[in-house]
Amino acid sequence: MSLQQADWLSSLENRGKQTNPLFQLPGVTNWSLFPDWMHVADEGDAALAAGQILHELLPSYAAPNQEARVRLLWDHIQSIYEARDCPAQQRLPTLTLKDIKKPGRAAELDVKAAQCRHFVPVVAILTEEKGFKIGSPRQKAIHNVARYCAKMYAALEAGDSMAIASNGHKFVSHYLALEEHAVTWDPDDTKTWRARPKFHLLQHILDEACKGLHPKDVWNYRDETFGYTMQQLW
């Protein structure tokens, strides 16, 4: 739960932090701020989930090494793009092993935020076409992470705040179930299906969606679009 204004100011003072000058403006409080979809989901939870899922999918492609499997995965993605007649501006320009998992780090899709947003539905199609939908309990859970993430994004584009919240909570729930399983399987593995603080921020976005707030009404893309427009005018 977010702190009330007085509690928030007290927390800042106790930690020796200064208040941003913006909060000196009339009517501006901590309740004026909202987590941003681009940073929390597109560059955060969705990118992390997509990377984890793609990494789990790689063994299902028959090739002698990871790089070759990624090439087969990329061919599969291209076939999905063609079947769905996906616009060029919504396609990933490329995909390498390092875009999925960098050495020594957790698997996480490393693409631009908007590219991740458009790629989320493709991830769900990949898990279904690779049989995860009817596979082992673990594979079914992975497919559900992909499926509910895609449904959350579909609701985002449809402007359905309640569906964003409903599918978003299911997405988080299935991801956390996989984290629990991963911890049980290998407590020393800190890179497989581990949640990050941005999952907590996504819960705040979903709570606001339950109240009727659409994430697009407060997301950072609006500011970036305005900045780009002014840059072009200048």
Side-chain angles (χ1 to χ4, degrees):
M1 179 177 292
S2 298
L3 296 175
Q4 296 293 335
Q5 176 76 353
D7 295 329
W8 178 70
L9 291 173
S10 176
S11 172
L12 289 179
E13 183 178 357
N14 292 337
R15 289 179 289 146
K17 302 290 185 179
Q18 292 185 343
T19 307
N20 189 294
L22 285 174
F23 292 103
Q24 297 176 14
L25 296 174
V28 176
T29 73
N30 56 309
W31 288 92
S32 304
L33 304 180
F34 297 92
D36 171 52
W37 184 274
M38 182 183 81
H39 293 91
V40 172
D42 297 343
E43 295 180 346
D45 300 338
L48 179 61
Q52 293 286 325
I53 294 168
L54 293 181
H55 196 252
E56 296 267 3
L57 281 168
L58 287 180
S60 66
Y61 294 92
N65 55 61
Q66 289 288 68
E67 287 78 7
R69 294 185 189 108
V70 172
R71 288 194 291 270
L72 292 178
L73 167 62
W74 181 239
D75 290 340
H76 190 178
I77 292 169
Q78 294 305 306
S79 70
I80 294 173
Y81 282 153
E82 294 301 321
R84 291 167 60 90
D85 196 22
C86 185
Q89 65 270 22
Q90 294 183 4
R91 302 185 184 198
L92 293 183
T94 186
L95 186 70
T96 67
L97 180 58
K98 287 186 177 180
D99 293 327
I100 298 172
K101 187 180 188 305
K102 292 178 172 55
R105 297 177 60 180
E108 181 176 10
L109 186 61
D110 185 13
V111 299
K112 293 181 179 179
Q115 291 173 342
C116 181
R117 190 168 80 250
H118 293 305
F119 186 64
V120 163
V122 177
V123 178
I125 296 172
L126 287 169
T127 58
E128 182 169 0
E129 293 188 354
K130 276 300 183 178
F132 278 37
K133 182 179 180 180
I134 56 173
S136 66
R138 176 186 174 83
Q139 289 177 327
K140 289 178 181 177
I142 291 170
H143 172 66
N144 280 332
V145 169
R147 181 165 68 99
Y148 286 118
C149 188
K151 284 179 173 289
M152 177 179 69
Y153 271 82
L156 177 78
E157 298 306 321
D160 188 340
S161 296
M162 294 306 296
I164 293 172
S166 174
N167 290 294
H169 283 127
K170 291 174 183 176
F171 160 62
V172 172
S173 176
H174 280 87
Y175 190 102
L176 294 181
L178 283 165
E179 180 190 47
E180 182 178 358
H181 177 267
V183 171
T184 303
W185 183 260
D186 185 0
D188 295 326
D189 178 6
T190 60
K191 299 178 177 63
T192 304
W193 294 107
R194 294 301 192 269
R196 293 177 181 170
K198 285 185 178 181
F199 276 88
H200 176 80
L201 292 175
L202 180 59
Q203 293 278 21
H204 279 285
I205 291 177
L206 301 178
D207 288 344
E208 293 300 322
C210 285
K211 301 173 186 176
L213 179 68
H214 193 283
K216 284 191 176 185
D217 291 340
V218 293
W219 72 359
N220 194 55
Y221 286 112
R222 286 176 174 267
D223 178 67
E224 292 203 351
T225 299
F226 176 76
Y228 176 77
T229 301
M230 297 306 295
Q231 182 185 49
Q232 294 303 303
L233 288 173
W234 182 264

